[in-house]
Amino acid sequence: MNPPLTPLDYLKKTLTARVYDVATESALEPAKALSRRLHNTVLFKREDQQPVFSFKLRGAYNKLVHLPPEQLQRGVICASAGNHAQGVALGAHKLGVRAVIVMPTTTPQLKIDAVKHLGGEVVLFGESYSDAQQHAAALEKEQGLTPVHPFDDPDVIAGQGTIAMEILRQHPGPLHAVFVAIGGGGLISGVANYIKALRPEIKVIGVQMNDSNAMIQSVQAHERITLPDVGLFSDGTAVKLVGAETFRIASALVDEFMTVDTDAVCAAIKDVFVDTRSIVEPAGALAVAAIKQYVATHHTHGETYAAILCGANMNFDRLRFVAERAEVGEEREGLFAVTIPEERGSFRRFCETIGSLPGGPRNVTEFNYRISDAARAHVFVGLTTLGKGESAKIAAQFSHHGFKALDLTHDELAKEHLRHLVGGHSALSQDERLLRFEFPERPGALLKFLSLMQPSWNISLFHYRNQGADYGRILVGLQVPPEDGAAFDAFLATLGYPCVEETQNPAYRLFLRAQ
């Protein structure tokens, strides 16, 4: 059995790696807006700009060109959540060989289509990388294919190490830490080997999702741990079992490990967009989320950090979730359940309380209410906040003004589900008329609505969510006696907000109208 490779061995392999037939030397760019906010210099290593929008083609191609010709000609196989698959497919296409790619069924369609476009034969199997890997091993034996492991291979590790080679060449000055996302460990192993061989004073910090932290658990246990399940939001790092070689290297060379959660990653995706106008996938934002967490924990100033943006294969329909959770992840939005007396004028008084909160008026990001009790109204409200930890203070202010409030900012049930479920039939919503409005997104728009409304008309339903446009789409239920029809029409004309009446809408009659 050959002795383990040393960092010097890996240094030589990295310096002689064949990656630039398919990869480019990606830019190392300052993140100016994020750097100003954090009072530290943050550099983005733009691996999201590679031809397959991920760093994975480096290691994959370096492995392929080091295979004996007879193995190449039989064809290659790999298991991958998507990015390694694209790297293998691209490399195999360039070399003119067959590539079979086994991908988890949870892989974003964007990555599946990309692999097929590059000529890879896609086989979907299992719910995680580890499931796909087991199936790939069976196909390998059946068809005599040569495996190309996504991370647990010295040639793959050396190929990924060329990223660190570029970083040190591009930034020869002070560099305090490089933050690296970890799935199976190939990227951080390559980076750590190279940096510790040449610049051991630079910290290498590994980052995992809090629900997919196989490397961290393994290092803590001093043996490889297989996770029973992994979170799938960051599909590029959803690995149940890290590699034997990557575990050995990471245990010896990585200075520190961190975990981040989904909301922090969503906020980091937004941070990258603000600085680059590019959208990275969740795995690509892990390093940025960790830098923000590191600075907040250690209170650093004037240091320099590099974040490897390791991928940008994001499904477009996932952006809706990311945008919604980014505000909570950055704690720019607080979510609250507030109890209001079901009496005339209380809704307006509550809105005035929002406008008088310390720190200035807040934008309402969401407001959900359905009449359900003759004495009390329970509303779900989202407000912009000025910084971390402020939501608890706002809840206390509501209570001080007589509105019992519960802070739901960090409540997963509320964030994922309850905000979408406020509603239903109500026996108390007699004479209800339902209207869809477009309100201008400016302070005072809601108060204008409430001021012009006749006091005898009761709001029985209210739903609003800020979608980032210059107007807000709002659904309002108003209890208007039939004899007030003319006055109600005059109210709508004076208000001047575009609206559509939905009282006869069959969906409303089925799910919301009083039975």
Side-chain angles (χ1 to χ4, degrees):
M1 187 174 182
N2 294 326
L5 296 177
T6 67
L8 182 59
D9 295 328
Y10 271 109
L11 177 63
K12 294 175 182 176
K13 288 181 71 68
T14 301
L15 290 170
T16 57
R18 287 268 304 276
V19 301
Y20 298 110
D21 293 349
V22 292
T24 61
E25 179 169 323
S26 60
L28 185 67
E29 300 175 352
K32 295 179 181 177
L34 185 59
S35 297
R36 284 194 298 270
R37 275 178 47 209
L38 299 182
H39 305 290
N40 290 277
T41 299
V42 179
L43 306 173
F44 288 164
K45 182 59 173 165
R46 299 298 306 277
E47 287 298 291
D48 59 303
Q49 295 185 327
Q50 290 292 352
V52 295
F53 306 104
S54 161
F55 74 98
K56 286 283 193 174
L57 78 171
R58 294 175 183 261
Y61 189 76
N62 191 50
K63 174 63 178 179
L64 290 177
V65 296
H66 281 87
L67 286 175
E70 62 274 13
Q71 290 187 23
L72 266 182
Q73 291 310 310
R74 288 202 301 267
V76 297
I77 187 170
C78 74
S80 169
N83 290 340
H84 177 64
Q86 292 178 67
V88 172
L90 176 63
H93 178 74
K94 184 172 182 63
L95 296 172
V97 299
R98 180 189 178 206
V100 177
I101 315 294
V102 184
M103 309 178 82
T105 57
T106 53
T107 303
Q109 189 64 40
L110 185 78
K111 297 181 180 181
I112 295 171
D113 293 341
V115 171
K116 291 179 178 178
H117 177 72
L118 292 167
E121 301 175 23
V122 175
V123 176
L124 297 176
F125 186 89
E127 295 184 352
S128 71
Y129 161 74
S130 300
D131 298 333
Q133 174 62 33
Q134 291 177 7
H135 190 61
L139 293 178
E140 172 196 333
K141 293 177 181 178
E142 288 175 14
Q143 303 183 29
L145 301 168
T146 300
V148 181
H149 201 281
F151 48 81
D152 205 27
D153 182 281
D155 289 321
V156 172
I157 291 169
Q160 321 304 25
T162 58
I163 296 172
M165 179 179 70
E166 292 172 10
I167 290 174
L168 297 191
R169 184 168 64 243
Q170 293 166 324
H171 184 80
L175 183 59
H176 294 85
V178 177
F179 290 77
V180 190
I182 302 176
L187 176 59
I188 198 163
S189 295
V191 169
N193 270 313
Y194 193 88
I195 287 178
K196 292 306 178 182
L198 294 181
R199 296 277 303 277
E201 79 280 4
I202 298 174
K203 283 186 177 181
V204 177
I205 298 178
V207 191
Q208 293 199 285
M209 292 294 296
N210 57 358
D211 55 7
S212 302
N213 60 344
M215 181 66 82
I216 293 174
Q217 290 196 33
S218 298
V219 170
Q220 290 173 344
H222 305 291
E223 63 178 352
R224 289 196 295 160
I225 300 295
T226 301
L227 300 182
D229 200 7
V230 289
L232 299 177
F233 174 63
S234 177
D235 55 281
T237 56
V239 174
K240 292 181 180 178
L241 178 65
V242 301
E245 176 69 349
T246 59
F247 167 67
R248 181 186 72 83
I249 295 169
S251 299
L253 299 181
V254 175
D255 295 283
E256 188 175 334
F257 295 92
M258 299 176 63
T259 59
V260 293
D261 62 21
T262 296
D263 288 346
V265 173
C266 290
I269 291 171
K270 181 178 178 180
D271 291 321
V272 174
F273 176 79
V274 168
D275 262 307
T276 67
R277 298 302 187 268
S278 297
I279 297 172
V280 295
E281 64 184 274
L286 256 64
V288 177
I291 288 177
K292 294 166 63 182
Q293 189 170 298
Y294 184 89
V295 170
T297 301
H298 297 280
H299 308 290
T300 60
H301 288 78
E303 296 194 344
T304 301
Y305 308 122
I308 299 175
L309 308 187
C310 56
N313 288 295
M314 168 77 87
N315 263 18
F316 184 79
D317 55 11
R318 185 173 283 186
L319 294 177
R320 182 169 34 200
F321 173 84
V322 170
E324 187 168 271
R325 298 294 289 262
E327 297 302 302
V328 176
E330 192 59 34
E331 293 196 34
R332 297 190 183 111
E333 180 186 39
L335 301 177
F336 308 91
V338 183
T339 301
I340 300 174
E342 192 65 84
E343 60 189 27
R344 195 168 293 166
S346 63
F347 187 37
R348 179 173 179 175
R349 186 164 62 87
F350 175 65
C351 293
E352 290 170 344
T353 300
I354 292 174
S356 65
L357 289 171
R362 311 307 172 90
N363 287 329
V364 176
T365 58
E366 183 162 3
F367 200 108
N368 298 321
Y369 159 68
R370 179 60 165 146
I371 188 171
S372 60
D373 187 289
R376 293 176 300 276
H378 301 291
V379 300
F380 184 101
V381 61
L383 298 175
T384 56
T385 56
L386 304 178
K388 289 183 179 291
E390 197 194 15
S391 60
K393 299 176 183 176
I394 292 176
Q397 281 292 317
F398 283 145
S399 298
H400 177 71
H401 284 84
F403 301 111
K404 183 180 178 182
L406 183 63
D407 183 5
L408 300 176
T409 305
H410 304 289
D411 188 302
E412 282 297 315
L413 176 63
K415 290 185 288 187
E416 285 280 4
H417 301 289
L418 292 185
R419 72 195 312 170
H420 305 296
L421 295 175
V422 178
H425 299 292
S426 174
L428 302 178
S429 60
Q430 301 301 319
D431 296 329
E432 184 176 63
R433 294 178 67 170
L434 190 74
L435 297 105
R436 283 191 295 113
F437 285 94
E438 290 184 0
F439 278 29
E441 284 285 10
R442 61 171 180 260
L446 177 57
L447 280 178
K448 177 184 176 182
F449 177 89
L450 297 173
S451 299
L452 293 174
M453 206 180 85
Q454 283 196 19
S456 59
W457 303 338
N458 184 53
I459 293 177
S460 52
L461 180 149
F462 200 94
H463 178 264
Y464 161 72
R465 175 67 181 163
N466 186 326
Q467 300 291 348
D470 56 359
Y471 58 89
R473 291 188 175 94
I474 297 174
L475 186 67
V476 182
L478 287 168
Q479 292 176 281
V480 181
E483 61 269 21
D484 286 356
F488 187 72
D489 292 340
F491 157 69
L492 294 179
T494 304
L495 183 64
Y497 295 163
C499 74
V500 175
E501 182 152 5
E502 297 283 11
T503 307
Q504 301 306 318
N505 187 303
Y508 160 66
R509 300 172 75 87
L510 183 63
F511 292 106
L512 294 171
R513 189 181 177 94
Q515 300 299 300

